[in-house]
Each structure stands twice: as C-alpha cells, then as structure tokens.
Amino acid sequence: MPTKIGGFDTGPVHVGGGRSVKRSSDTSHSSSSSDAASSGSTGDAHITDSARKLADLEQTIQALPAVDSSRVAEVSSSIQNGTYKINPERIADKLLQSEKDLQKLV
C-alpha cells in the first residue's frame, strides 16, 4: 500500500475479509450528525448510576483519615489491660450488613 511522503494516503483502508473502508476526507472535524446516527453513536459518554455511586464513594473514602487514632489507642489499651472482648455475633452481623450494603451498589 503506497504512502505519500509529506501527505496523507487517501485510498481505502483494508479491514480484512476483502472489505475496505473509505477514508474521511477531513479528519480535523468531528463527524456529522448523519454519520453519528448511522453508526449508532452520538459521541457522548454516558456514566452509569453504578459508576457515579462508585466515584462518590471513592471521594468519601479519600476524605476519611487512614487511621482512627483514638480507636487504635482505645483497643490497644483494652488489649494491654486484658479487657478486650471479642463478640463473634457482632462481627457476623457487621459482615452481613457490609455484604448487603455492597449488593445495593450493584
């Protein structure tokens, strides 16, 4: 396929299977509305509700501190004093609630 030096090759583009696609005569402008309508694309990006929720959640998480220092101090003190109690029912309930919350986002 010959290419012009200092210019653009305006011949058809071969896409395989013996088919070819005509090159656009002016690539500097966006396609016309009839071209967009015939291809089924408007050129607009659409963000789904799930993606929007995830973006909002990401911003919320980034705004939170990485570590709750007061909670760490409280738990450390409880462990050192021997007063830290593990509540398996509470852990299970929180895990189930977390799973339910995640399912709502989908």
Side-chain angles (χ1 to χ4, degrees):
M1 178 182 230
T3 309
K4 295 180 198 176
I5 296 177
F8 295 101
D9 184 5
T10 58
V13 177
H14 297 286
V15 292
R19 299 178 303 164
S20 62
V21 177
K22 183 181 174 196
R23 290 183 189 261
S24 172
S25 60
D26 185 7
T27 58
S28 65
H29 295 92
S30 63
S31 61
S32 67
S33 60
S34 62
D35 289 342
S38 66
S39 68
S41 172
T42 61
D44 294 336
H46 297 284
I47 299 175
T48 64
D49 288 337
S50 296
R52 193 179 332 274
K53 288 178 184 176
L54 286 173
D56 291 344
L57 182 60
E58 182 180 13
Q59 287 180 349
T60 301
I61 289 171
Q62 287 179 351
L64 295 173
V67 176
D68 183 354
S69 300
S70 63
R71 180 71 178 138
V72 170
E74 179 184 331
V75 171
S76 295
S77 176
S78 296
I79 292 171
Q80 287 176 350
N81 296 336
T83 59
Y84 185 76
K85 302 288 186 205
I86 297 173
N87 184 344
E89 291 84 14
R90 183 171 185 258
I91 294 170
D93 288 341
K94 293 289 186 175
L95 285 172
L96 289 172
Q97 185 60 48
S98 175
E99 181 65 26
K100 289 177 186 176
D101 291 343
L102 288 172
Q103 286 178 353
K104 289 177 187 176
L105 294 175
V106 177

